Amino acid sequence: MDLNQLAKQLAKDIISKEAELLSVLIQMHKENWFRRLGYPGIFDYVTKELKLSEAQAFYYKKVMEKSFEVPRLSEAVINGELSLSKARRIVPVVTLSNCDTWIKTANTLKQRPLESEVAKVNPQARIKESVKQVGPELVQMTISVTPEVAAQLKRVQDLEAQRTKEDVKWNKVMETMTKEYLEKHDPVKRAERLSSRKLIPLLPKPGRHAIAARTKHAVHLRDGAQCTEKLTDGTRCEERRWLELDHILPVHQGGLNTPENLRTLCGFHHRGRHERAHAS
């Protein structure tokens, strides 16, 4: 067996399957399959249902989203003109008017020269924001900020050094700022502080009323400020953004503003609940 030829053929098969999968994912998006399966979007579907890596999911997501604006991009991948990897790299700069030029450029350049060409047009594309585990208790973060934000961070570093009388490193600056922010704004932290207070019990009234702050705190504390919806694989939705409170028994059916009748849902699953209720 010629192992070299076999390896080449397998490599071609991988590229071909990537193109086929992209085509299927685009069609699934158009037919609303992700929502029907209980996933907020392509990223969650690819990582949870297809069990691909977050990096692979990111490639498909970026190329698919750009393809709605520039259909020629996905066509080039599906037709075998361009690999998914190179398509992802030109996403920050490709437009309807220049896509043929960039597809040709991507086909003639290797990865790093291509990234350099993209960075000339869009410098931000050169910075790959990432969070990477580099040790048992150490995570490396890569971000880009404006000069103004960099100056503000330096000011925090100077103030913290003055306060502690120590040479404060950047990781300490980040630790200090995140602790300060979370203590002030994290709804779970606020709920923990308020849970120790002795308050007169609320008597919720029927009908639609604003949800009392202490009721919201109780729900945040119980749900951990995370969507409570169960996905098709039995796991809990991991969304901690775009959260809303949903009445388990609707208000028009007599549901009250009590912690027992409220649950935390992300916007996607909240809309899905109401759509299914209206359809039934």
Side-chain angles (χ1 to χ4, degrees), residues 155-191:
R155 179 59 177 154
V156 175
Q157 185 184 43
D158 292 341
L159 290 171
E160 188 64 5
Q162 175 67 21
R163 185 183 72 84
T164 61
K165 308 301 181 186
E166 296 178 356
D167 181 21
V168 177
K169 304 298 182 184
W170 286 115
N171 59 349
K172 189 65 177 179
V173 172
M174 298 298 293
E175 179 183 340
T176 300
M177 291 193 304
T178 52
K179 282 184 177 179
E180 291 279 349
Y181 182 90
L182 291 175
E183 282 297 325
K184 185 175 181 180
H185 296 290
D186 185 350
V188 176
K189 293 282 188 183
R190 294 169 64 188

Side-chain angles (χ1 to χ4, degrees), residues 46-91:
V46 170
T47 54
K48 294 181 179 295
E49 192 78 15
L50 303 187
K51 308 301 182 184
L52 298 184
S53 70
E54 291 188 358
Q56 290 170 308
F58 178 78
Y59 282 16
Y60 285 110
K61 181 177 184 291
K62 288 296 181 181
V63 174
M64 187 184 79
E65 289 176 346
K66 192 67 176 185
S67 295
F68 298 139
E69 175 190 340
V70 186
R72 177 77 177 91
L73 182 64
S74 60
E75 290 172 7
V77 176
I78 294 168
N79 294 336
E81 301 174 59
L82 195 64
S83 69
L84 181 71
S85 177
K86 285 194 172 182
R88 193 272 300 176
R89 285 178 169 79
I90 63 174
V91 161

Side-chain angles (χ1 to χ4, degrees), residues 28 32-46 48-49 227-239 265-266 268-270 272-273 275-276:
M28 289 180 73
N32 213 23
W33 270 87
F34 303 136
R35 173 170 289 191
R36 286 157 58 185
L37 292 169
Y39 294 103
I42 180 174
F43 188 89
D44 293 88
Y45 174 77
V46 170
K48 294 181 179 295
E49 192 78 15
C227 180
T228 58
E229 186 74 1
K230 293 288 186 179
L231 303 179
T232 55
D233 63 358
T235 61
R236 179 178 174 181
C237 175
E238 297 178 355
E239 186 60 74
L265 294 177
C266 64
F268 167 77
H269 285 120
H270 196 186
R273 289 271 181 176
E275 288 170 1
R276 288 192 294 274

Side-chain angles (χ1 to χ4, degrees), residues 45-143:
Y45 174 77
V46 170
T47 54
K48 294 181 179 295
E49 192 78 15
L50 303 187
K51 308 301 182 184
L52 298 184
S53 70
E54 291 188 358
Q56 290 170 308
F58 178 78
Y59 282 16
Y60 285 110
K61 181 177 184 291
K62 288 296 181 181
V63 174
M64 187 184 79
E65 289 176 346
K66 192 67 176 185
S67 295
F68 298 139
E69 175 190 340
V70 186
R72 177 77 177 91
L73 182 64
S74 60
E75 290 172 7
V77 176
I78 294 168
N79 294 336
E81 301 174 59
L82 195 64
S83 69
L84 181 71
S85 177
K86 285 194 172 182
R88 193 272 300 176
R89 285 178 169 79
I90 63 174
V91 161
V93 293
V94 71
T95 65
L96 281 171
S97 60
N98 68 18
C99 70
D100 284 326
T101 300
W102 275 108
I103 289 171
K104 182 178 179 180
T105 300
N107 273 322
T108 57
L109 295 176
K110 292 185 177 181
Q111 176 182 324
R112 293 196 181 280
L114 176 60
E115 290 175 344
S116 296
E117 289 302 310
V118 170
K120 290 177 183 178
V121 179
N122 184 352
Q124 180 67 26
R126 195 65 180 265
I127 305 297
K128 295 184 178 65
E129 293 193 351
S130 64
V131 179
K132 182 173 64 175
Q133 192 87 28
V134 294
E137 298 181 357
L138 196 62
V139 172
Q140 177 179 295
M141 299 182 65
T142 303
I143 63 171

